[in-house]
Amino acid sequence: MNEYDSSKIADLLSDTHDFSLTDIAEEADVLLLNTCSIREKAQEKVFHQLGRWKNLKKHNSKLIIGVGGCVASQEGMQIRQRANYVDIIFGPQTLHRLPNMIDAVDSRRIPIIDISFPELEKFDYLPMTRIENPTAFVSIMEGCNKYCTFCIVPYTRGEEISRPCDDILFEISHLANQGVREVNLLGQNVNAYRGITFEGKICTFSELLRLISMIDGIDRIRFTTSHPMEFTDDLIDVYKDTPKLVSFLHLPVQSGSDRILTLMKRSYTVTEYKQIIRKLQAIRPNIQISSDFIIGFPTESQQDFEKTLKLVKEINFDMSFSFIYSQRPGTPAADISDNIPIEEKKERLSILQNHINQQALQWSRRMLGTTQRLLVEGPSSKNTIELTGRTVNNRIVKFKGSINMIGTFVDVKITDVYGHTLYGVLLCNENKIAHHIAGNHA
Ligand code: SAH
């Protein structure tokens, strides 16, 4: 989400101010920090980075420093109290106002704070995505209404709001015309999507997926993140008739204990979560599932933790994200007394991560000898005749090919597995794949 926002900021300022990106802070006229406050550690990093930039301002009085994202949204004016050399404080919903904010600071040298939540306004101001890769992120909804007790997102990014359906379809068609072959639909809970159509009707997430699948040139559709709460049967049905939707799903469960899920206010039980997965497996037997886990939520007992481990094995999760619970100010869980020693939490996290890594490795090893369709993303960084592509299940595969294959689909036979990186030999390029498909239809 933050990477997406940062790329939008870069596109916008390039359009309005002809700015370009630099890796060298000393060269910059404007330094912007796009921040995340999902866990405390991420938040603390902000002030460390600002401390380093403070010195640059001593040498360049015209330098403008801005802080955006969720820490800005949460802390607002307090950022200036800790770092009074910050000129601009903007939120995730006001990043499109940056050009004006920069001009105002430049001419009047007064600090500007705008962390309001103007609904969807920003999408009318952001330029069309500039694309160099065959894959692109497309934001379809923003914010969150779920108010899970551990989570800061509803407070920093605002309530759920969906972009109009036709704006999304237009953006994706535009991307397809630029050579994009795969889209990743982005939002805090994409399956809560309820966008308005030009006829004034409501379009649900399952309807949106089917409409996107009809766009010529787009051959793979992913989405992130969805919530088990609204993973309804009509969405599961899309997996039946929409082959472009990948057989890989990131569906955060957080915990395998119903007691903890209730305390987290996740609104589903472990059984309900497993039912969703079973229904999906009935349609797509090879579907792979990944998840997020929070370890050491206040009062989590050894028994609760073992239930999480049991679920990890039962679902056979692929590569997943796991975090030690981080207390966020103002969230309901911050009031639950947290009595688990940090050493114990670390121990649980490492046990969980070991299990998941082993399972992910087994998923990779199972691919040895199989033929995989890759979307070729570019030359491998170490070797220019070696290309890298991505499988449906998000594995990077390296293989020898020619540069004109970038941005196309190829079939590769997997010959080696090293950790999470796979190696393969080219079997068939896109022309032959298309020929093969045409042949099958004849
Ligand atoms: N909307 C999605 C994910 C949102 S944030 C969902 O609700 O499932 C991404 C991940 O950060 C979460 O899935 C959760 O695992 C983690 N996270 C959020 N708040 C956290 C906290 N206070 N401590 C530790 N991890 C947290």
Side-chain angles (χ1 to χ4, degrees):
M1 198 80 55
N2 274 43
E3 268 179 46
Y4 176 84
D5 285 349
S6 298
S7 71
K8 287 285 174 192
I9 294 173
D11 286 353
L12 176 68
L13 293 177
S14 151
D15 254 27
T16 58
H17 285 65
D18 211 14
F19 282 175
S20 57
L21 291 168
T22 172
D23 289 331
I24 306 161
E26 288 77 8
E27 279 182 358
D29 301 306
V30 176
L31 288 167
L32 297 174
L33 200 55
N34 192 18
T35 62
C36 168
S37 63
I38 198 92
R39 285 171 293 278
E40 194 179 356
K41 213 168 177 182
Q43 188 167 343
E44 271 314 302
K45 278 189 196 161
V46 173
F47 291 99
H48 294 154
Q49 182 62 51
L50 286 175
R52 286 192 283 273
W53 284 355
K54 182 181 179 181
N55 289 329
L56 297 179
K57 215 159 182 183
K58 285 185 195 144
H59 300 120
N60 176 5
S61 60
K62 287 197 71 129
L63 178 67
I64 295 176
I65 296 181
V67 180
C70 291
V71 175
S73 182
Q74 190 187 322
E75 303 278 321
M77 190 59 192
Q78 285 172 33
I79 292 185
R80 287 252 331 154
Q81 279 157 13
R82 266 179 86 169
N84 65 2
Y85 46 90
V86 170
D87 304 289
I88 299 174
I89 299 173
F90 61 101
Q93 302 302 344
T94 51
L95 53 90
H96 59 289
R97 295 179 181 169
L98 264 173
N100 287 344
M101 297 190 217
I102 289 172
D103 288 345
V105 171
D106 207 22
S107 56
R108 283 181 268 136
R109 285 284 141 195
I110 45 158
I112 292 187
I113 300 181
D114 184 355
I115 49 172
S116 56
F117 295 117
E119 284 186 359
L120 292 180
E121 182 190 281
K122 78 173 171 199
F123 290 102
D124 293 333
Y125 288 83
L126 294 175
M128 279 287 178
T129 315
R130 259 165 246 143
I131 279 299
E132 281 142 33
N133 300 321
T135 62
F137 285 102
V138 175
S139 173
I140 65 162
M141 56 85 67
E142 303 247 319
C144 184
N145 285 357
K146 305 290 180 279
Y147 291 95
C148 299
T149 57
F150 54 81
C151 192
I152 195 94
V153 168
Y155 312 97
T156 56
R157 285 190 173 260
E159 297 260 300
E160 280 168 5
I161 174 108
S162 300
R163 285 179 72 194
C165 171
D166 302 286
D167 287 7
I168 296 169
L169 297 176
F170 180 76
E171 180 171 338
I172 296 178
S173 303
H174 179 78
L175 291 169
N177 288 338
Q178 292 178 71
V180 167
R181 309 293 302 270
E182 173 183 306
V183 284
N184 197 335
L185 309 176
L186 209 56
Q188 285 298 331
N189 306 295
V190 286
N191 48 332
Y193 179 80
R194 301 272 178 284
I196 197 116
T197 67
F198 73 97
E199 293 163 313
K201 293 193 179 134
I202 295 290
C203 171
T204 62
F205 186 52
S206 58
E207 288 163 346
L208 181 71
L209 284 171
R210 287 207 175 87
L211 289 171
I212 294 172
S213 77
M214 284 185 243
I215 298 177
D216 262 358
I218 299 297
D219 293 285
R220 261 188 198 168
I221 306 171
R222 303 181 187 274
F223 54 80
T224 187
T225 311
S226 53
H227 193 296
M229 189 178 150
E230 282 155 316
F231 219 95
T232 43
D233 286 349
D234 64 309
L235 174 53
I236 293 174
D237 280 346
V238 183
Y239 285 84
K240 277 188 195 155
D241 55 32
T242 312
K244 289 180 179 180
L245 184 56
V246 294
S247 285
F248 187 89
L249 171 66
H250 183 69
L251 190 62
V253 68
Q254 313 298 359
S255 169
S257 154
D258 283 340
R259 193 182 72 81
I260 297 294
L261 288 176
T262 308
L263 283 177
M264 288 177 167
K265 198 170 148 306
R266 287 292 285 182
S267 322
Y268 54 84
T269 61
V270 174
T271 308
E272 282 164 345
Y273 183 88
K274 286 198 284 195
Q275 270 166 359
I276 298 171
I277 307 297
R278 269 194 220 112
K279 284 183 196 171
L280 286 166
Q281 284 168 336
I283 298 168
R284 302 263 185 110
N286 295 326
I287 193 164
Q288 276 169 250
I289 311 291
S290 65
S291 175
D292 293 344
F293 296 92
I294 295 180
I295 294 304
F297 185 84
T299 79
E300 182 192 70
S301 64
Q302 184 60 24
Q303 241 182 347
D304 292 317
F305 173 64
E306 277 163 18
K307 285 181 183 166
T308 302
L309 280 185
K310 186 165 166 265
L311 184 69
V312 165
K313 289 180 205 161
E314 255 182 276
I315 303 288
N316 197 4
F317 285 107
D318 195 8
M319 288 183 270
S320 296
F321 300 99
S322 44
F323 319 93
I324 287 180
Y325 167 74
S326 171
Q327 196 182 68
R328 304 287 55 223
T331 57
D335 297 333
I336 312 174
S337 133
D338 185 0
N339 52 356
I340 315 156
I342 184 68
E343 289 315 316
E344 181 124 13
K345 293 186 186 193
K346 284 187 182 161
E347 171 80 17
R348 286 180 194 168
L349 184 71
S350 119
I351 293 171
L352 178 97
Q353 288 182 337
N354 271 335
H355 271 286
I356 295 174
N357 277 338
Q358 283 308 316
Q359 288 179 188
L361 218 55
Q362 279 165 19
W363 277 111
S364 296
R365 287 195 185 127
R366 237 173 271 154
M367 292 165 76
L368 200 64
T370 63
T371 300
Q372 297 286 330
R373 185 150 300 170
L374 310 181
L375 176 54
V376 185
E377 293 185 349
S380 135
S381 50
K382 289 193 194 123
N383 186 340
T384 44
I385 52 159
E386 199 174 59
L387 300 175
T388 65
R390 205 173 279 268
T391 61
V392 157
N393 61 350
N394 250 329
R395 295 295 193 278
I396 299 278
V397 181
K398 298 185 177 179
F399 68 100
K400 290 210 169 64
S402 58
I403 222 86
N404 59 4
M405 288 173 184
I406 295 171
T408 70
F409 285 92
V410 297
D411 281 349
V412 159
K413 186 172 170 143
I414 306 299
T415 51
D416 279 304
V417 176
Y418 288 105
H420 297 310
T421 305
L422 312 183
Y423 290 82
V425 288
L426 182 71
L427 293 179
C428 182
N429 67 18
E430 175 135 330
N431 290 338
K432 290 214 187 103
I433 293 174
H435 196 242
H436 185 69
I437 294 169
N440 281 350
H441 284 304

